[in-house]
Amino acid sequence: MIPEPVRSCDAPPAAVGNRLIVDDLQFTLKRSLRRRTLQITVERSGELVLSSPPDVEESRLEAFVLEKRFWIYTKLAEKEQLRRCVPSKEYVDGEGFLYLGRSYRLRLVDGQCVPVKLLHGRFLLRRDWVAEGRNHLIQWYSNRAKEWLWNKAQEYLTRMEVKPAGIKVQDLGYRWGSCGKGDWLYFHWKTILLPAHIAEYVVVHELAHLHQPHHTPEFWQRVERAMPDFERRKIWWCLTLT
Ligand SMILES: [Zn+2]
């Protein structure tokens, strides 16, 4: 069961000075004579900024925020997830590391031919490579991500009528995935830390971009046709924020 997101109260929006509060979302309000349209931006820090022409009424601002609320939660969740996925690690025995949504304990070992292995529910890291532990783990995640995401994509190619050139896994900063020139798909290596059904949604999302670069209604229809329960996955993903 997925709990309903809690609306804190039904209070009207409160615009105090340059702040606008709608339920649990707080915006810095920037009114400018040069602006013609409303726009929301999510800063790297997670701060929300609402830019508006000077004379737009509060009720219109609130309606706009509510309309975009899902997108805002998604953006916030992305930033939060990416920040939290790999907190600074010490690479000591017993420390937990995520893989496809589950946490596996680390064990330092001697005399293993590769730096990192996942074996019988444990991450095994060579003791003499601990100083480079982070790089070795990232390398392991990247290799695993490439294989897993590519296999997952194969299940959707016919259905979605797409032919990606291939996939590349790297550090994409604050994005899970993107669609590049020549129909190459890019994924953040951290995608492989997400629960499998959420990582699968990230794959379908990027595949749909091969048809449609922007998040238009047609884009979402394509996602829905390929993955009818995508909303549930997206919502689940957003709820991991709290
Ligand atoms: Zn997208």
Side-chain angles (χ1 to χ4, degrees), residues 205 209 215 219:
H205 185 112
H209 275 315
H215 297 143
F219 169 85

Side-chain angles (χ1 to χ4, degrees), residues 17-232:
N18 62 348
R19 300 244 146 232
L20 176 81
I21 298 167
V22 183
D23 291 342
D24 53 346
L25 298 173
Q26 196 181 114
F27 298 82
T28 301
L29 186 55
K30 289 189 180 161
R31 292 186 184 269
S32 157
L33 285 165
R34 290 196 308 271
R35 276 213 78 83
R36 291 247 176 103
T37 55
L38 293 173
Q39 188 188 33
I40 291 169
T41 42
V42 182
E43 303 290 330
R44 264 180 108 81
S45 60
E47 188 196 357
L48 302 172
V49 177
L50 175 56
S51 306
S52 153
D55 50 356
V56 178
E57 286 175 15
E58 269 173 41
S59 56
R60 172 77 195 100
L61 295 178
E62 188 202 13
F64 182 73
V65 165
L66 292 176
E67 201 178 292
K68 299 282 178 199
R69 180 141 74 164
F70 192 77
W71 175 85
I72 296 167
Y73 281 131
T74 308
K75 285 287 165 204
L76 287 172
E78 266 174 26
K79 293 194 192 305
E80 180 62 13
Q81 275 276 1
L82 286 173
R83 197 178 62 73
R84 276 200 319 204
C85 272
V86 189
S88 55
K89 296 283 191 186
E90 294 172 68
Y91 303 94
V92 291
D93 270 315
E95 202 175 10
F97 286 81
L98 285 174
Y99 170 56
L100 289 173
R102 293 185 56 192
S103 179
Y104 296 91
R105 293 196 184 283
L106 185 72
R107 185 188 287 162
L108 302 182
V109 295
D110 300 297
Q112 148 179 303
C113 55
V114 290
V116 179
K117 243 188 221 179
L118 181 62
L119 191 68
H120 307 310
R122 298 262 172 183
F123 272 113
L124 307 179
L125 171 65
R126 253 179 77 152
R127 198 183 307 275
D128 51 348
W129 285 340
V130 160
E132 286 289 299
R134 184 181 154 80
N135 291 340
H136 289 308
L137 255 299
I138 291 175
Q139 191 57 51
W140 186 89
Y141 281 133
S142 303
N143 293 341
R144 213 31 102 85
K146 198 168 174 188
E147 192 184 330
W148 193 91
L149 295 167
W150 183 245
N151 286 340
K152 201 41 81 179
Q154 302 306 310
E155 296 174 21
Y156 287 91
L157 299 189
T158 318
R159 222 183 312 173
M160 295 182 74
E161 298 169 321
V162 285
K163 259 203 178 119
I167 67 169
K168 292 184 180 173
V169 173
Q170 56 196 61
D171 191 329
L172 293 181
Y174 282 84
R175 283 172 308 160
W176 289 112
S178 76
C179 187
K181 272 194 199 130
D183 287 348
W184 278 89
L185 300 178
Y186 293 80
F187 293 96
H188 200 303
W189 59 265
K190 291 180 182 175
T191 309
I192 202 68
L193 309 193
L194 295 169
H197 64 297
I198 310 299
E200 188 171 345
Y201 161 71
V202 177
V203 170
V204 168
H205 185 112
E206 293 310 325
L207 289 175
H209 275 315
L210 291 172
H211 283 289
Q212 180 55 255
H214 303 293
H215 297 143
T216 56
E218 194 214 323
F219 169 85
W220 292 115
Q221 275 164 21
R222 277 188 191 281
V223 174
E224 188 173 17
R225 273 205 302 275
M227 184 178 264
D229 67 342
F230 85 100
E231 286 282 8
R232 201 168 54 85

